[in-house]
Amino acid sequence: MKRFFLVAFTITTLFCTNTFAQMPKFGHINSAELIQLMPGLKDAESKLEVYSKSMDDQFKNMQDELQKLQADYQAKEKLMTDIAKEVKQKEMQQKYQNFQQFQQDAQEKIAAKKEELYSPILKKAENAIKDVAKKNGYAYVFDTSVGSFLYAQDSDNMMELVKKELGIVTPVVAPGALNPAIQQAPKH
């Protein structure tokens, strides 16, 4: 009888061990935090800012030109013939349509430029997460930056593994020391 219980216990133990060994491994990462640490992000942000500024400058120039044209029309309207008024009104209407079209095109161009600049950075982060997940046997990786979980089982934070994969080194802050990234300006 003892032998039967010993065999049953051994089989149960092996079954449970095998079942737990086959349980999927879960990991999580805050992708927004990772993206902020990515090399090339500051350069992409800077380039996008310069591009956006050039579009904004063109927009303001067109707006100023339209306002001047309208002010000139209003100042001279009483002295104009009906035909001259009609010609000026059509000219202003055309400029206004061009202005609206430029505004729409500029938004599309800025979005395309952002995609062009950020896409390689996002792809590199995505590939690193996938590589780390495969190397470390993760079945699922959740993005905590989305914040859509109400509950999740314990999982491994993969941030350090992915940063290592990407070669990102973050300075270690001594306990009690202020993090230089969040130090406040001295009070005067």
Side-chain angles (χ1 to χ4, degrees):
M1 190 64 131
K2 281 185 181 180
R3 185 170 183 191
F4 173 75
F5 284 117
L6 183 61
V7 170
F9 177 74
T10 305
I11 290 172
T12 304
T13 305
L14 287 173
F15 177 74
C16 288
T17 304
N18 193 24
T19 301
F20 286 118
Q22 292 177 359
M23 297 266 308
K25 191 173 176 182
F26 297 96
H28 67 272
I29 190 163
N30 184 328
S31 66
E33 182 182 334
L34 177 64
I35 297 302
Q36 291 301 311
L37 298 171
M38 292 290 295
L41 180 70
K42 299 283 187 228
D43 185 47
E45 288 173 341
S46 176
K47 287 179 180 177
L48 184 62
E49 189 175 322
V50 167
Y51 187 77
S52 295
K53 173 99 172 77
S54 74
M55 288 291 180
D56 192 44
D57 289 346
Q58 289 178 41
F59 176 79
K60 286 178 182 174
N61 287 340
M62 289 180 79
Q63 189 176 29
D64 289 345
E65 184 180 329
L66 189 59
Q67 287 172 345
K68 285 178 187 176
L69 189 63
Q70 189 173 7
D72 184 52
Y73 173 78
Q74 288 173 344
K76 297 177 182 177
E77 179 182 17
K78 293 184 182 191
L79 302 175
M80 293 180 167
T81 65
D82 287 342
I83 295 173
K85 285 181 188 178
E86 188 178 323
V87 168
K88 277 292 188 188
Q89 287 172 351
K90 285 183 180 179
E91 181 184 353
M92 286 189 313
Q93 185 178 19
Q94 183 62 46
K95 291 241 185 224
Y96 183 71
Q97 287 173 350
N98 291 346
F99 174 75
Q100 286 181 319
Q101 186 63 47
F102 177 81
Q103 186 177 19
Q104 183 179 344
D105 291 347
Q107 290 174 349
E108 291 171 6
K109 287 179 181 180
I110 290 170
K113 188 67 165 178
K114 183 175 184 178
E115 174 72 22
E116 173 191 326
L117 293 169
Y118 283 71
S119 187
I121 296 167
L122 298 174
K123 189 69 175 167
K124 188 174 182 179
E126 180 185 349
N127 288 340
I129 292 168
K130 286 179 181 178
D131 290 346
V132 167
K134 288 176 186 174
K135 287 178 188 175
N136 292 282
Y138 289 99
Y140 300 97
V141 178
F142 300 98
D143 186 353
T144 58
S145 68
V146 177
S148 63
F149 298 126
L150 298 176
Y151 170 79
Q153 289 183 351
D154 288 340
S155 63
D156 298 334
N157 186 347
M158 298 171 45
M159 182 64 78
E160 293 306 317
L161 294 171
V162 175
K163 285 175 16 183
K164 183 179 177 184
E165 177 79 16
L166 290 166
I168 297 173
V169 179
T170 52
V172 177
V173 178
L178 287 177
N179 185 339
I182 52 176
Q183 285 183 357
Q184 294 181 353
K187 295 179 181 177
H188 297 282

